[in-house]
Amino acid sequence: QKVEARACRYMSFPKKLLLLEFARDNYQRALKQFQPAFLHDAYFLFFEANIDMCVRRVYERSSNPTSCNDHFISEQMIRSYYSEDNRPYLTYNLLADYGISDKRVRVINNTGSRKEFKEQIESFVQNFLDHEHDGGEFIEFQPGREGEETYHA
C-alpha cells in the first residue's frame, strides 16, 4: 500500500508512463495489495526466462554490478521463490480479477541478448505512448524505501 500511495503522487503528471517494477513469487497474491481502481487502467509487462538462466544472470550481475539493484541472491532462494509458474494467472485471470484486457498484458521472452530485451521493452513502451497518450515521456519508478526510489527518464 505504501508503494501504491507513493506511485499515485506521480500518476498525476500529464503524458507520463509510470513503471512499477517488482518481482514476486505469486502475482495474484501480490496484486491484491493494490486497490482494484489503481490497477484498472494498468498495463502489465512480465519478463519470462528459465530458472537456470535467471540464476546465471544474477551471478553475473552481482559479480559485475552496474546499479544498486545488482545484488547477490542465492541459487536456493531463486529456485524456491520462483518455483511457481505465474503465466496462467497473468494471461487468463487478470481480466477476471481486475477487468484487465489481454491487450494490456504482455509477456516478454527474456532469453535472448540484452539488446533484444531492451528492444522489446522499448517497443512496448513506444506502442503504449503512441496509442494511449499521443506521445509522451517515459519515467521508470523503482520502489525503494521512502526517499530512495529511483527514476529514469
Side-chain angles (χ1 to χ4, degrees), residues 73-84:
I73 303 169
S74 74
E75 181 174 348
Q76 178 183 3
M77 172 75 80
I78 294 168
R79 290 190 185 281
S80 65
Y81 196 74
Y82 297 108
S83 61
E84 187 174 332

Side-chain angles (χ1 to χ4, degrees), residues 11 17-20 22 31 34-46 94-95 98-106 124 128 132-133:
M11 290 173 55
L17 171 62
L18 176 69
L19 293 180
L20 298 178
F22 63 97
L31 292 172
F34 295 95
Q35 295 295 320
F38 180 77
L39 298 174
H40 180 71
D41 292 328
Y43 282 73
F44 294 85
L45 179 60
F46 296 97
L94 276 173
L95 176 60
Y98 299 100
I100 304 296
S101 162
D102 63 349
K103 292 176 177 35
R104 291 178 172 262
V105 179
R106 185 178 301 173
F124 172 81
F128 168 81
E132 295 292 325
H133 292 288

Side-chain angles (χ1 to χ4, degrees), residues 116-143:
E116 292 168 331
F117 179 65
K118 184 179 179 194
E119 288 170 354
Q120 291 181 78
I121 293 172
E122 288 172 350
S123 170
F124 172 81
V125 171
Q126 194 58 55
N127 186 54
F128 168 81
L129 292 172
D130 290 345
H131 290 96
E132 295 292 325
H133 292 288
D134 194 30
E137 270 187 85
F138 168 64
I139 294 178
E140 180 183 358
F141 169 72
Q142 294 180 339

Side-chain angles (χ1 to χ4, degrees), residues 58-69:
V58 165
Y59 282 130
E60 289 170 1
R61 283 194 306 268
S62 65
S63 296
N64 301 296
T66 59
S67 82
C68 64
N69 295 318

